[in-house]
Coordinates of all heavy atoms in Angstrom, one line a residue:
I304 N 143.4 234.7 102.6 CA 143.5 233.4 103.2 C 142.1 232.7 103.1 O 142.0 231.5 102.8 CB 143.8 233.6 104.7 CG1 145.2 234.2 104.9 CG2 143.7 232.2 105.4 CD1 145.6 234.5 106.3
A305 N 141.0 233.4 103.3 CA 139.7 232.9 103.3 C 139.4 232.5 101.8 O 138.8 231.4 101.6 CB 138.6 233.9 103.8
K306 N 139.8 233.3 100.9 CA 139.4 233.0 99.5 C 140.2 231.8 99.0 O 139.6 230.9 98.3 CB 139.8 234.2 98.6 CG 139.4 234.1 97.2 CD 139.6 235.3 96.3 CE 139.2 235.0 94.9 NZ 139.5 236.3 94.0
K307 N 141.4 231.6 99.5 CA 142.2 230.5 99.1 C 141.5 229.2 99.7 O 141.6 228.1 99.1 CB 143.6 230.5 99.6 CG 144.5 229.4 99.1 CD 145.9 229.6 99.5 CE 146.8 228.5 99.0 NZ 146.5 227.1 99.3
R308 N 141.0 229.4 100.9 CA 140.3 228.2 101.5 C 139.1 227.8 100.7 O 138.8 226.5 100.4 CB 139.8 228.7 102.9 CG 138.8 227.7 103.6 CD 139.4 226.4 104.0 NE 138.5 225.7 104.8 CZ 138.5 224.4 105.1 NH1 139.5 223.6 104.5 NH2 137.6 223.8 105.8
L309 N 138.4 228.8 100.1 CA 137.2 228.4 99.3 C 137.7 227.8 98.0 O 137.1 226.8 97.5 CB 136.4 229.7 99.0 CG 135.2 229.5 98.0 CD1 134.2 228.6 98.5 CD2 134.6 230.9 97.7
T310 N 138.8 228.3 97.4 CA 139.3 227.8 96.2 C 139.8 226.3 96.3 O 139.5 225.4 95.5 CB 140.4 228.7 95.6 OG1 140.0 230.0 95.4 CG2 140.9 228.1 94.3
D311 N 140.5 226.1 97.4 CA 141.0 224.7 97.6 C 139.9 223.8 97.9 O 139.9 222.6 97.5 CB 142.0 224.8 98.8 CG 143.3 225.5 98.5 OD1 143.5 225.8 97.3 OD2 144.0 225.9 99.5
C312 N 138.9 224.3 98.6 CA 137.7 223.4 98.9 C 137.0 223.0 97.7 O 136.6 221.8 97.5 CB 136.8 224.2 99.9 SG 135.3 223.2 100.4
L313 N 136.8 223.9 96.8 CA 136.1 223.6 95.4 C 136.9 222.6 94.6 O 136.3 221.8 94.0 CB 135.9 224.9 94.7 CG 134.8 225.8 95.2 CD1 134.8 227.2 94.5 CD2 133.4 225.2 94.9
A314 N 138.2 222.8 94.7 CA 139.1 221.9 93.9 C 139.0 220.5 94.4 O 139.1 219.5 93.7 CB 140.5 222.4 94.0
A315 N 138.9 220.3 95.8 CA 138.9 219.0 96.4 C 137.5 218.4 96.5 O 137.3 217.2 96.3 CB 139.5 219.1 97.8
E316 N 136.5 219.3 96.7 CA 135.2 218.8 96.9 C 134.2 219.6 96.2 O 133.6 220.6 96.8 CB 134.8 218.7 98.4 CG 135.6 217.8 99.3 CD 135.3 216.3 99.0 OE1 134.2 216.0 98.4 OE2 136.2 215.4 99.4
P317 N 134.1 219.6 94.9 CA 133.1 220.5 94.1 C 131.7 220.3 94.7 O 131.2 219.1 94.9 CB 133.2 219.9 92.7 CG 134.6 219.2 92.7 CD 134.8 218.7 93.9
S318 N 131.0 221.4 95.0 CA 129.7 221.3 95.6 C 128.9 222.5 95.1 O 129.3 223.6 95.1 CB 129.8 221.2 97.1 OG 128.5 221.4 97.7
T319 N 127.6 222.2 94.7 CA 126.8 223.3 94.2 C 126.4 224.1 95.4 O 126.1 225.3 95.2 CB 125.5 222.7 93.6 OG1 124.9 221.8 94.5 CG2 125.8 221.9 92.3
E320 N 126.5 223.7 96.6 CA 126.1 224.5 97.8 C 127.1 225.5 98.1 O 126.8 226.5 98.8 CB 126.0 223.5 99.0 CG 124.9 222.5 98.9 CD 124.7 221.7 100.2 OE1 125.0 222.2 101.3 OE2 124.2 220.5 100.0
L321 N 128.3 225.5 97.4 CA 129.3 226.5 97.6 C 129.2 227.6 96.6 O 129.8 228.7 96.7 CB 130.7 225.9 97.5 CG 131.1 225.0 98.7 CD1 132.4 224.3 98.4 CD2 131.1 225.7 100.0
Q322 N 128.3 227.4 95.5 CA 128.2 228.4 94.5 C 127.7 229.8 94.9 O 128.2 230.8 94.5 CB 127.3 227.8 93.3 CG 127.9 226.8 92.5 CD 129.3 227.1 92.0 OE1 129.5 228.2 91.4 NE2 130.3 226.2 92.2
P323 N 126.8 229.8 95.8 CA 126.3 231.1 96.4 C 127.4 231.9 97.0 O 127.6 233.1 96.9 CB 125.2 230.8 97.4 CG 124.7 229.5 96.9 CD 125.8 228.7 96.4
L324 N 128.4 231.2 97.6 CA 129.5 231.8 98.2 C 130.5 232.3 97.1 O 131.1 233.5 97.2 CB 130.2 230.8 99.1 CG 131.2 231.4 100.2 CD1 130.5 232.4 101.1 CD2 131.9 230.3 101.0
V325 N 130.6 231.6 96.1 CA 131.5 232.0 95.0 C 130.9 233.2 94.4 O 131.6 234.2 94.0 CB 131.6 230.9 93.9 CG1 132.4 231.4 92.6 CG2 132.3 229.7 94.5
T326 N 129.6 233.3 94.2 CA 128.9 234.5 93.6 C 129.2 235.7 94.5 O 129.4 236.8 94.1 CB 127.5 234.2 93.5 OG1 127.3 233.1 92.6 CG2 126.8 235.5 92.9
R327 N 129.1 235.5 95.8 CA 129.3 236.6 96.7 C 130.8 237.2 96.6 O 130.9 238.4 96.7 CB 129.0 236.2 98.2 CG 127.6 236.0 98.5 CD 127.4 235.5 99.9 NE 127.9 236.6 100.9 CZ 128.1 236.2 102.2 NH1 127.6 235.1 102.6 NH2 128.6 237.1 103.0
W328 N 131.7 236.3 96.5 CA 133.1 236.7 96.3 C 133.3 237.5 95.0 O 133.9 238.6 95.0 CB 134.1 235.6 96.3 CG 134.5 235.2 97.7 CD1 133.9 234.2 98.5 CD2 135.5 235.7 98.5 NE1 134.6 234.1 99.7 CE2 135.6 235.1 99.7 CE3 136.5 236.7 98.2 CZ2 136.5 235.4 100.7 CZ3 137.4 237.0 99.2 CH2 137.5 236.4 100.4
T329 N 132.7 237.0 94.0 CA 132.8 237.7 92.7 C 132.2 239.1 92.7 O 132.7 240.1 92.3 CB 132.1 236.9 91.6 OG1 132.7 235.6 91.6 CG2 132.2 237.5 90.2
T330 N 131.0 239.2 93.4 CA 130.2 240.4 93.4 C 131.0 241.5 94.4 O 131.1 242.7 94.0 CB 128.9 240.2 94.0 OG1 128.2 239.3 93.2 CG2 128.1 241.5 94.1
A331 N 131.6 241.0 95.4 CA 132.3 241.9 96.4 C 133.7 242.3 95.9 O 134.3 243.2 96.5 CB 132.3 241.2 97.8
E332 N 134.3 241.6 95.0 CA 135.6 241.8 94.6 C 136.0 243.2 94.4 O 137.0 243.7 94.9 CB 135.9 241.0 93.3 CG 137.4 240.7 93.1 CD 138.0 239.6 94.0 OE1 137.3 238.6 94.1 OE2 139.0 239.8 94.6
P333 N 135.2 244.1 93.7 CA 135.6 245.5 93.6 C 135.7 246.3 94.8 O 136.5 247.3 94.8 CB 134.5 246.0 92.7 CG 133.9 244.8 92.0 CD 134.0 243.7 93.0
T334 N 135.1 245.9 95.9 CA 135.2 246.7 97.1 C 136.1 246.1 98.2 O 136.3 246.7 99.3 CB 133.8 246.6 97.8 OG1 133.4 245.3 98.2 CG2 132.7 247.2 96.9

Side-chain angles (χ1 to χ4, degrees):
I304 297 172
K306 186 175 182 180
K307 185 175 185 302
R308 167 69 169 161
L309 176 60
T310 302
D311 293 345
C312 182
L313 284 168
E316 299 286 342
S318 172
T319 56
E320 295 186 29
L321 294 174
Q322 288 307 310
L324 198 57
V325 174
T326 302
R327 285 178 61 188
W328 273 95
T329 303
T330 303
E332 200 75 45
T334 64

